[in-house]
Amino acid sequence: IYLRLVLTTIYIMKPLLIFAFLVGFSVAYSQTNIQKKNVRTYNSFVNKAELFVCDKQYKKASDCYAEAFKSHDPFAQDAYFAFRVNYEQVRDTLRILECIQHLIQLGDRPDWIIEDSTKDPYFYRCAQELFETTKIEVIPSLNQEFLEILESDQRVMTQYFESDEEFFNAIDSVMRLNLKRLKRMYRKYSVVNDYTVGRSVTGLYVPLIHLCKYLNYDAKKILSKEVRKGNYNVQKYIILKDYCLNFSPKYNSNETTIYGTNLNWGINDIYFILQPKNLPKVNRRRRRLLTDETWQDYEKKVEYIVTKRVDYFFYAPMTLIDKSSDEMENSLRQSIDDGSVRGTYLHITP
């Protein structure tokens, strides 16, 4: 709200006053920007915004993103999508500037946006001043600890070993050490999120997947409370939890799911979306995570991504790509057509 009022004033002022006003605002805003924590409201508006994007109703999507950001500081993914909607579709100058500020705070500077200042000198001057005055909120020590966990995870996963025994011994050692590091990190820092860690926090799912696979560690122990507190993106958590089911000895790809995101199959040029058998329970589980996004909403977004091939990727939905299994493709098609399996299939847009 403060940012919008300030930038509205700035935008109609003479260029000579822009610098002084923005510098003054930067100080005032940093003192009054108390973190907003209405997680359910935030998730609800983000879900609506994404659904409006699917329907190409970009102005309504922009409005929903704006309402979401009033109730909670945006996650990096949402700030980026809101920026794209406003910059590429709606062309709402003030909302573009608001999104730029959020991205800078998250350590993601869209510097390219001010390369051509001839199109709109006032706008580009405002953007330039935001780049120069907005404070990045990343905690360097926390960011470094997090990067060390990611690097050690990737190092052992890509390292060459002479034998399987040597590989699994090294994996076990690194995974146990990284688990201790993660637990210590969440005890040490009061807030671990997109702002305090920076963009790299989106990579948290990588070591957590490996911890699940090799130590049978449940990410819920670390992240479920963080999701409800608004420190971790609920969509990423949902996909992480479902993906980790692949490593469960009880996993059955056609039936086992928690939130319904691991039942998608890409075979040849056909994309299958299978409906969970326990759909009401799946949607109740989602609600407990303070999100209004139903599995049906998720399905609509996946269909949009698969068929439109646009650059608004809310999910990484595909769980299997098999280029040669014609038999499996035909079997799934038949099962959906005759109603024995609930779901749909789509032709993947090249």
Side-chain angles (χ1 to χ4, degrees), residues 15-247:
L16 292 177
L17 297 179
I18 289 177
F19 177 78
F21 201 92
L22 260 175
V23 170
F25 160 74
S26 179
V27 174
Y29 184 79
S30 64
Q31 294 174 345
T32 58
N33 183 28
I34 300 172
Q35 190 175 25
K36 302 171 288 293
K37 288 290 184 181
N38 193 329
V39 181
R40 183 177 289 283
T41 299
Y42 175 88
N43 289 335
S44 176
F45 277 112
V46 167
N47 180 50
K48 291 177 182 177
E50 293 178 348
L51 293 173
F52 279 131
V53 169
C54 294
D55 294 332
K56 296 185 178 181
Q57 297 188 50
Y58 298 112
K59 178 59 171 66
K60 290 183 178 179
S62 173
D63 292 341
C64 286
Y65 276 126
E67 289 300 317
F69 299 170
K70 291 177 184 177
S71 60
H72 188 283
D73 293 326
F75 293 106
Q77 170 180 291
D78 302 327
Y80 174 71
F81 286 141
F83 171 76
R84 292 284 307 279
V85 166
N86 286 303
Y87 186 75
E88 297 175 3
Q89 305 294 341
V90 182
R91 300 300 300 174
D92 186 314
T93 300
L94 297 177
R95 286 182 178 173
I96 294 170
L97 291 169
E98 289 173 342
C99 292
I100 287 175
Q101 184 178 61
H102 288 306
L103 291 171
I104 295 172
Q105 291 171 331
L106 290 158
D108 186 8
R109 292 169 53 95
D111 296 275
W112 55 268
I113 203 170
I114 58 172
E115 290 178 358
D116 185 0
S117 60
T118 62
K119 297 177 181 178
D120 187 338
Y122 291 167
F123 167 75
Y124 287 96
R125 184 65 183 275
C126 289
Q128 179 65 59
E129 297 303 334
L130 282 177
F131 287 141
E132 295 177 359
T133 60
T134 301
K135 181 181 177 181
I136 298 176
E137 299 185 3
V138 174
I139 301 174
S141 59
L142 173 56
N143 177 262
Q144 183 60 35
E145 289 184 36
F146 191 80
L147 289 176
E148 288 174 359
I149 293 173
L150 294 182
E151 289 170 2
S152 64
D153 177 273
Q154 291 302 292
R155 191 182 309 116
V156 73
M157 297 304 299
T158 57
Q159 186 177 343
Y160 173 76
F161 295 95
E162 294 290 342
S163 66
D164 289 345
E165 181 180 3
E166 185 180 358
F167 169 75
F168 285 112
N169 287 338
I171 286 287
D172 185 76
S173 176
V174 171
M175 294 301 123
R176 293 185 185 281
L177 177 60
N178 280 347
L179 180 56
K180 289 181 180 179
R181 285 174 165 177
L182 279 172
K183 290 180 177 179
R184 182 171 64 244
M185 185 176 71
Y186 275 94
R187 288 195 302 266
K188 181 178 179 181
Y189 298 93
S190 58
V191 177
V192 179
N193 63 15
D194 292 37
Y195 288 85
T196 58
V197 177
R199 293 181 61 193
S200 57
V201 75
T202 58
L204 178 59
Y205 72 92
V206 176
L208 286 173
I209 285 174
H210 292 153
L211 286 172
C212 173
K213 182 176 182 178
Y214 295 106
L215 294 186
N216 197 30
Y217 182 79
D218 189 351
K220 177 180 180 180
K221 296 178 181 178
I222 289 180
L223 291 183
S224 63
K225 290 183 179 179
E226 296 301 310
V227 168
R228 291 181 175 87
K229 289 191 294 184
N231 290 331
Y232 195 77
N233 188 309
V234 64
Q235 294 176 338
K236 296 183 184 300
Y237 176 76
I238 283 173
I239 291 175
L240 171 65
K241 283 291 295 177
D242 274 347
Y243 185 82
C244 285
L245 288 175
N246 291 300
F247 311 119

